[in-house]
Amino acid sequence: MDTLNTGVRNVKNVANYIIGKDSFLDLRNILLERIGNDSEKVVFFIDIYFYNSHLLEEIKLDFPNTNIIPVDSTTEPTTSAIDAVIERMKLEEMKPEVLVAIGGGCTLDTCKAVSNLWTNGGQASQYQGWDLVKKPGLYKIAVPTISGTGAEATRTCVMTNTETGLKLGMNSDFTVFDYVVMDPELTSTVPRQQFFYTGMDAYIHCIESIRGNFRNPIGDSFSEQTLQLCRDVFNSSNMKSDDARSKLMVASYLGGCAIATSYVGLIHPLSAGLSVVLGIHHCEANCIAMRAVEEFYPEEYREFWGMVEKQKIHIRSGVTSELNRLKMDELYDAMIVHEKPLYNALGEDFNDILTKEKVFELYRRM
Ligand code: NAD
Ligand code: ZN
């Protein structure tokens, strides 16, 4: 195959980022430069964890007339929830010029979707797919508070349409953040289990892309560096040390860049089935899906379970043990629609390998 024939030809990266301890303090200046003292021109999207926190109080002091929208990350973003946010913003007569997201993938993705929808009109479900967004969205700034998904770097925002069951983002150049503020201090409060699940999303993105058929030197470089950082973090005695949290923040960003220039493989489609049918959150679902992939990713399988043991993390098992045939069919349907990643992992004959019986067998291992 041609070295540069990766299936992905155009890539858009984040325009600006600032990284390092206490970089959150610079957010104030970034906003001042953009909107002066008109703090009503900013809408903050904040993960509910921070809702009664010191951080929120500081924001209110710095930006007294600003608008704050809590993002409830107990459910991952749906198209109807995004539409509801737009309705609320219109009802409250907000006039945003800048959006700021402070939180994890759910908060970042909500902000990305709202930004596009605000300027393009219509409903979120109309833009699920590739390059359907016609105009730039509102200027948007990401402040990740948990590391791993790479949502701060990618050109998508994952949303589920609960009516159709479609889990797909707005893949567009306009979805990429204009500014990312990466301050590893913000991730210190993440509970250990969650820290591991989300952090492992970066590792899993990159093992899938580096073992795929659509390889290219740019994607491989991002993936290799991401994997090295993840290994340093999850093989260390304290995965939440200052140094490890800094490394994981970089891994998350680079993992996002890796995936923007390549594809995921078999684990993400299996995980998507668990999310759509059983409502298990993305990053935990990935870890559960790792139970089933030894024959496809033998080295990474061993490495992953070694890191689980090292960090004493509990990964659920038996999640499909009670499912009837109808639910198993739903799992199959929700995973097999992900043709591009499956093709990337297994080649064009992926349907011959992943027969319905085979997919059932894989799900039964979870
Ligand atoms: P999340 O937003 O789901 O949050 C996970 C949990 O961590 C929540 O309970 C939240 O309250 C908590 N939390 C976040 N920061 C915290 C902090 N500093 N201290 C204490 N608790 C904190 O986090 P996630 O795992 O980063 O995101 C998952 C979402 O990202 C899914 O919806 C998934 O589909 C999406 N995703 C998006 C992309 C993309 O490219 N856009 C890629 C992968 C995944
Ligand atoms: Zn992922």
Side-chain angles (χ1 to χ4, degrees):
M1 189 189 274
D2 170 355
T3 314
L4 297 177
N5 179 12
T6 62
V8 179
R9 294 183 61 188
N10 62 321
V11 175
K12 170 135 195 293
N13 292 125
V14 164
N16 291 83
Y17 63 76
I18 174 166
I19 189 161
K21 191 170 180 292
D22 293 332
S23 40
F24 182 64
L25 301 176
D26 286 310
L27 178 64
R28 192 167 181 277
N29 292 334
I30 296 167
L31 283 171
L32 270 176
E33 219 167 84
R34 191 97 204 149
I35 48 135
N37 282 318
D38 288 340
S39 56
E40 72 271 23
K41 291 182 182 165
V42 191
V43 177
F44 282 88
F45 292 85
I46 299 193
D47 182 277
I48 43 164
Y49 172 80
F50 295 101
Y51 216 58
N52 290 313
S53 70
H54 182 57
L55 181 138
L56 188 72
E57 291 314 311
E58 277 176 26
I59 289 172
K60 284 183 181 164
L61 274 178
D62 277 349
F63 307 99
N65 302 315
T66 196
N67 306 282
I68 294 173
I69 297 183
V71 176
D72 183 355
S73 48
T74 44
T75 18
E76 294 188 340
T78 61
T79 50
S80 53
I82 301 295
D83 293 336
V85 173
I86 295 278
E87 278 311 301
R88 171 183 172 175
M89 289 168 66
K90 285 184 180 159
L91 220 79
E92 294 182 18
E93 297 181 354
M94 296 184 192
K95 304 219 168 9
E97 286 181 17
V98 178
L99 306 181
V100 180
I102 304 179
C106 290
T107 308
L108 269 46
D109 282 359
T110 300
C111 173
K112 287 164 137 181
V114 167
S115 156
N116 283 338
L117 216 53
W118 187 264
T119 53
N120 283 270
Q123 298 199 302
S125 58
Q126 286 168 243
Y127 300 98
Q128 282 182 293
W130 280 267
D131 303 308
L132 302 172
V133 182
K134 297 293 169 224
K135 310 189 250 192
L138 292 166
Y139 190 90
K140 52 190 174 300
I141 303 173
V143 185
T145 63
I146 179 169
S147 304
T149 67
E152 64 278 22
T154 61
R155 69 197 285 281
T156 191
C157 49
V158 185
M159 306 172 295
T160 303
N161 181 335
T162 43
E163 276 170 34
T164 62
L166 181 68
K167 188 179 184 199
L168 184 61
M170 298 179 182
N171 293 270
S172 163
D173 282 355
F174 300 131
T175 307
V176 179
F177 276 105
D178 298 286
Y179 218 120
V180 179
V181 176
M182 287 180 270
D183 184 343
E185 287 296 294
L186 295 174
T187 67
S188 64
T189 49
V190 179
R192 277 180 60 81
Q193 288 277 135
Q194 185 66 52
F195 186 88
F196 185 89
Y197 296 155
T198 298
M200 273 299 170
D201 200 22
Y203 174 84
I204 292 172
H205 285 154
C206 293
I207 60 172
E208 287 176 287
S209 98
I210 215 154
R211 290 272 172 256
N213 288 310
F214 293 111
R215 302 270 303 277
N216 73 81
I218 296 178
D220 282 1
S221 317
F222 284 128
S223 291
E224 280 159 11
Q225 187 61 37
T226 304
L227 288 172
Q228 191 50 54
L229 289 163
C230 289
R231 286 176 181 129
D232 289 354
V233 171
F234 294 114
N235 288 319
S236 71
S237 56
N238 179 8
M239 66 174 180
K240 289 196 65 198
S241 69
D242 286 355
D243 183 48
R245 281 187 290 99
S246 297
K247 283 182 171 164
L248 197 59
M249 194 156 252
V250 178
S252 177
Y253 181 82
L254 293 180
C257 296
I259 221 60
T261 170
S262 58
Y263 294 109
V264 288
L266 176 61
I267 303 157
H268 270 70
L270 287 168
S271 163
L274 296 177
S275 294
V276 171
V277 180
L278 303 176
I280 302 174
H281 282 212
H282 175 69
C283 300
E284 186 191 1
N286 284 343
C287 292
I288 296 172
M290 283 301 289
R291 292 193 176 282
V293 297
E294 183 174 9
E295 69 198 82
F296 301 98
Y297 303 96
E299 283 169 37
E300 294 79 5
Y301 174 91
R302 273 192 296 281
E303 183 173 58
F304 173 85
W305 290 103
M307 295 190 278
V308 169
E309 207 180 304
K310 172 94 188 168
Q311 300 302 331
K312 299 189 173 55
I313 297 299
H314 172 67
I315 311 280
R316 278 196 274 166
S317 62
V319 295
T320 60
S321 59
E322 308 269 288
L323 299 185
N324 59 25
R325 172 73 196 221
L326 202 71
K327 283 282 173 198
M328 292 301 281
D329 280 340
E330 284 180 30
L331 281 175
Y332 171 80
D333 292 342
M335 81 84 65
I336 208 77
V337 294
H338 295 275
E339 293 184 354
K340 276 186 189 170
L342 294 174
Y343 182 3
N344 182 41
L346 303 170
E348 59 185 338
D349 298 330
F350 68 86
N351 268 304
D352 298 339
I353 301 167
L354 295 176
T355 60
K356 216 170 203 188
E357 275 318 308
K358 181 68 192 175
V359 173
F360 287 177
E361 184 202 318
L362 296 179
Y363 274 117
R364 279 193 216 100
R365 288 187 209 154
M366 303 180 199

